[in-house]
Amino acid sequence: MSGAAAVSIRRVSKTFAAGDVVALQEIDLDIRPREFVSLIGPSGCGKSTLLRIVGDLIRPSSGEIVVNGKSAHEARLDRDYGIVFQDAVLYDWRTVARNIALPLEMAGWDRARRAERVREMLELVELTGFESRHPWQLSGGMQQRVAIARALSFSPALLLMDEPFGALDEMTRERLNAELLRIWRETGCTVLFVTHSIAEAVFLSTRVVVMSPRPGRIAEIVEIDLAQPRTGDTREDPRFFELVTEVREALHGGSDRGSPRLRVAE
Amino acid sequence: MTLVAPVAGERLLGRTLRRARDWAPAAVVLVLSLALWQGLVAALEIERFLLPRPTQILKAFWEQRDTLWSAGLFTFREALGGFAIGCTAAILAALVLARWRRLGGALMPYAIAANAVPIIAFAPITNQWFGLLNPLSKMVIAAILCFFPVLVNTLRGLTSVRPSSIELMRSYAAGELEIFRRVRIPNSLPYVFSALKVASVLAMIGAVVGEFFGGSQEALGVQIRSATALFQFETAWAAILVASLLGIAFYLVIALVERLTMGWHPSTRTAD
Ligand SMILES: Nc1ncnc2c1ncn2[C@@H]1O[C@H](COP(=O)(O)OP(=O)(O)O)[C@@H](O)[C@H]1O
Ligand SMILES: [Mg+2]
């Protein structure tokens, strides 16, 4: 089935030479096109490492990644990834508009096309009017929206997000969650999302991948069958609470429906 | 996509007034200390070879303004030449060391050690190497003085980039060269400019002190020495005044260029 998958992770392991840390052990995961998959797990269980391996920012010690039928390396050179980190990583010397245009400049878009695209993206993240500001003149939430606009500007097939809202307050986070889902529906990209918030993972995702630490591996995968599109009401849905509980139990490894693999991990 | 928004006339006026208010205390301090200097020298009857009065210095400055300014410019040219050579070499070296980090790791301890050496002590030696009367002998000492602080700071600016901002560039398929052009070099600019400001001061010191060990009669340092030898202390002080004014002007020009090229930087902006 890997031909149909947007991302196919095959027996990926990663051992860091420094400290001999087994960050990931034999990870197997297929992500279908247009899926929204969240990785959740205690800190140090290898979520960021897995995301970086998928994005070809680090190499796995063993195993293979196939992205849209290509190797991760080819996918990176084809600019298939839009990446958003926990801190927005905006370039202070560029205005908001020129930060968003950066990947477009690098892909060789001409000026007029870039300007048009930047305008669209600013509209998408509701920052019209802020184009000539500099990053340090924006709030944390606005900076993160610029980072999202930049990641989406060149319509990457795959959006990789590493705790993008981790540093934001709860209200901003919920608003950006809703915005992200709207963008996801409108652009039809595939998302791999790292979070340590159970509620966030359940609210956003089509599937939640629960990881366990030392060595980092997949403990359980929870299908999130909540109706689309998700709204404020979704958070009140009894099914939402059931799923939150299910993910929480998987996280604590205390579920009696636990997979055999999870028992081994115990 | 301009960096600085056009400013309406009245805002410009407001800004000028605010600037003036900011500078007023400093101006008051200047006037008061000059008055105090004048008063104390007169009251304590300090001999003029120890410390002339400001009015005497200004008088000497005015009477000999032509020779002093041409001497000043002669020395300033040496300082400027040394500054250009030293800073260019340092920035190029920093780019190379940042690109090939192994090399940087091997050489940096020596650069940092060299930065702590009182390089000015080599002035008599560069005078020997290039000839007393050759302006190059002063330029070289000024260049060496400028080299190390600019090298160390530029390298720090080029390398103190958040790993995630490099990862982001790599995710756009950027190569090493493009990462330099779009991230490392802009990131280094604040560091480079603060080093250039230090270097502008060092270059003037290098040129003047180099001249103390001998040089053309036209040079400011030589004139300070010969004026002192001839008991023309007011002239010596007036020459120091010229050196100071040129040094300050040099510094301000660099600060201005910094402001113009880095309008984006938080430190160069007021809160408006
Ligand atoms: N560059 C590295 N060198 C050595 N060890 C690392 C490196 N990056 C991550 N690790 C280790 O790998 C493990 C997983 O890290 P990470 O993927 O960042 O976890 P998470 O994102 O889930 O918190 C941790 O034990 C961490 O210390
Ligand atoms: Mg992490």
Side-chain angles (χ1 to χ4, degrees):
Chain A
M1 293 294 283
S2 71
V7 181
S8 166
I9 302 170
R10 282 284 161 272
R11 299 174 66 85
V12 162
S13 299
K14 176 71 185 178
T15 306
F16 284 107
D20 220 11
V21 183
V22 183
L24 294 171
Q25 196 174 56
E26 305 248 320
I27 301 289
D28 267 301
L29 182 66
D30 274 350
I31 302 174
R32 294 181 291 272
R34 311 201 55 157
E35 242 196 315
F36 195 125
V37 171
S38 288
L39 301 176
I40 193 167
S43 109
C45 71
K47 305 180 294 291
S48 298
T49 302
L50 184 57
L51 197 90
R52 281 177 162 75
I53 289 175
V54 171
D56 188 45
L57 297 173
I58 53 178
R59 293 245 172 77
S61 306
S62 63
E64 188 193 22
I65 306 277
V66 178
V67 179
N68 298 324
K70 297 175 276 198
S71 73
H73 185 68
E74 288 165 330
R76 178 169 68 81
L77 295 185
D78 285 350
R79 301 192 176 90
D80 281 354
Y81 301 117
I83 299 188
V84 182
F85 293 108
Q86 174 162 0
D87 52 339
V89 198
L90 301 175
Y91 300 102
D92 270 342
W93 50 89
R94 286 176 168 256
T95 58
V96 165
R98 295 196 61 231
N99 263 287
I100 296 174
L102 175 64
L104 306 178
E105 277 174 37
M106 297 181 57
W109 290 35
D110 65 47
R111 186 180 287 272
R113 237 178 115 210
R114 286 202 308 258
E116 170 62 18
R117 186 63 183 192
V118 165
R119 206 186 47 70
E120 285 169 23
M121 295 319 296
L122 284 166
E123 217 163 275
L124 189 70
V125 296
E126 290 166 6
L127 278 176
T128 305
F130 290 91
E131 42 272 71
S132 53
R133 298 290 183 91
H134 280 267
W136 41 271
Q137 296 172 313
L138 305 180
S139 71
M142 288 158 87
Q143 291 184 6
Q144 207 53 269
R145 268 143 69 195
V146 175
I148 293 171
R150 178 179 57 188
L152 291 167
S153 63
F154 54 105
S155 310
L158 185 59
L159 197 54
L160 302 177
M161 307 180 90
D162 193 351
E163 301 190 25
F165 310 133
L168 304 179
D169 62 85
E170 194 62 26
M171 269 165 55
T172 312
R173 175 191 277 237
E174 286 189 6
R175 214 181 49 246
L176 290 187
N177 279 174
E179 244 172 276
L180 176 60
L181 281 183
R182 178 174 59 79
I183 290 167
W184 171 64
R185 280 195 309 273
E186 284 175 14
T187 59
C189 58
T190 309
V191 184
L192 182 57
F193 187 94
V194 171
T195 177
H196 51 231
S197 159
I198 300 173
E200 185 175 63
V202 171
F203 179 72
L204 292 173
S205 314
T206 55
R207 270 192 304 164
V208 174
V209 175
V210 179
M211 294 179 66
S212 65
R214 283 176 298 276
R217 52 169 83 202
I218 294 177
E220 197 169 323
I221 297 178
V222 180
E223 287 280 345
I224 307 298
D225 49 12
L226 294 165
Q228 299 281 3
R230 314 253 164 98
T231 62
D233 293 338
T234 307
R235 292 182 203 274
E236 324 265 290
D237 189 331
R239 181 70 188 137
F240 177 77
F241 292 107
E242 283 172 31
L243 287 164
V244 165
T245 307
E246 197 174 321
V247 171
R248 178 174 294 123
E249 282 172 358
L251 263 174
H252 297 307
S255 154
D256 47 15
R257 298 166 288 93
S259 63
R261 202 202 229 152
L262 183 61
R263 293 224 182 85
V264 172
E266 289 166 356
Chain B
M1 254 170 263
T2 49
L3 287 177
V4 183
V7 180
E10 54 196 271
R11 270 182 71 200
L12 188 64
L13 183 67
R15 205 182 269 193
T16 313
L17 285 177
R18 221 178 317 138
R19 236 347 110 64
R21 215 173 44 214
D22 290 347
W23 283 96
V28 170
V29 167
L30 177 69
V31 170
L32 282 184
S33 23
L34 285 176
L36 194 67
W37 176 352
Q38 180 87 14
L40 281 179
V41 170
L44 302 176
E45 294 177 1
I46 294 173
E47 297 288 353
R48 57 179 261 281
F49 69 87
L50 287 177
L51 188 62
R53 301 171 191 194
T55 46
Q56 292 169 327
I57 296 170
L58 284 176
K59 186 159 160 279
F61 173 74
W62 188 250
E63 284 169 0
Q64 301 168 59
R65 58 190 182 276
D66 291 337
T67 27
L68 284 175
W69 273 123
S70 77
L73 289 178
F74 182 90
T75 299
F76 182 68
R77 264 196 292 275
E78 292 171 346
L80 196 62
F83 176 87
I85 298 169
C87 296
T88 308
I91 290 171
L92 292 177
L95 286 169
V96 169
L97 296 187
R99 174 64 184 81
W100 290 280
R101 299 291 270 280
R102 282 273 168 74
L103 192 63
L107 294 181
M108 266 331 268
Y110 299 103
I112 290 167
N115 202 11
V117 168
I119 287 162
I120 196 72
F122 289 98
I125 295 172
T126 60
N127 276 347
Q128 283 298 319
W129 285 353
F130 297 94
L132 272 187
L133 298 182
N134 186 352
L136 201 58
S137 64
K138 312 319 184 261
M139 286 188 195
V140 166
I141 196 74
I144 300 174
L145 276 175
C146 294
F147 182 79
F148 292 103
V150 175
L151 172 68
V152 171
N153 261 285
T154 307
L155 191 59
R156 187 169 300 147
L158 290 170
T159 51
S160 67
V161 175
R162 278 183 300 176
S164 50
S165 60
I166 300 291
E167 288 191 326
L168 199 69
M169 291 301 287
R170 295 219 294 127
S171 80
Y172 304 142
E176 205 55 48
L177 201 69
E178 204 153 19
I179 290 175
F180 261 83
R181 187 157 73 87
R182 295 186 190 270
V183 179
R184 292 192 186 278
I185 291 175
N187 187 72
S188 74
L189 286 183
Y191 297 81
V192 173
F193 275 109
S194 68
L196 291 183
K197 285 190 276 191
V198 171
S200 73
V201 176
L202 291 175
M204 277 305 280
I205 293 176
V208 172
V209 175
E211 289 162 359
F212 284 171
F213 297 105
S216 157
Q217 283 307 312
E218 271 184 84
L220 202 60
V222 173
Q223 294 203 356
I224 292 174
R225 259 189 46 147
S226 54
T228 328
L230 297 170
F231 302 105
Q232 295 165 348
F233 300 105
E234 294 84 359
T235 308
W237 279 89
I240 294 170
L241 177 65
V242 169
S244 313
L245 290 177
L246 287 168
I248 292 168
F250 193 6
Y251 184 96
L252 289 180
V253 167
I254 295 171
L256 182 70
V257 175
E258 176 183 31
R259 218 161 231 281
L260 293 178
T261 47
M262 297 205 318
W264 51 267
H265 198 262
S267 69
T268 63
R269 279 282 185 102
T270 41
D272 58 12

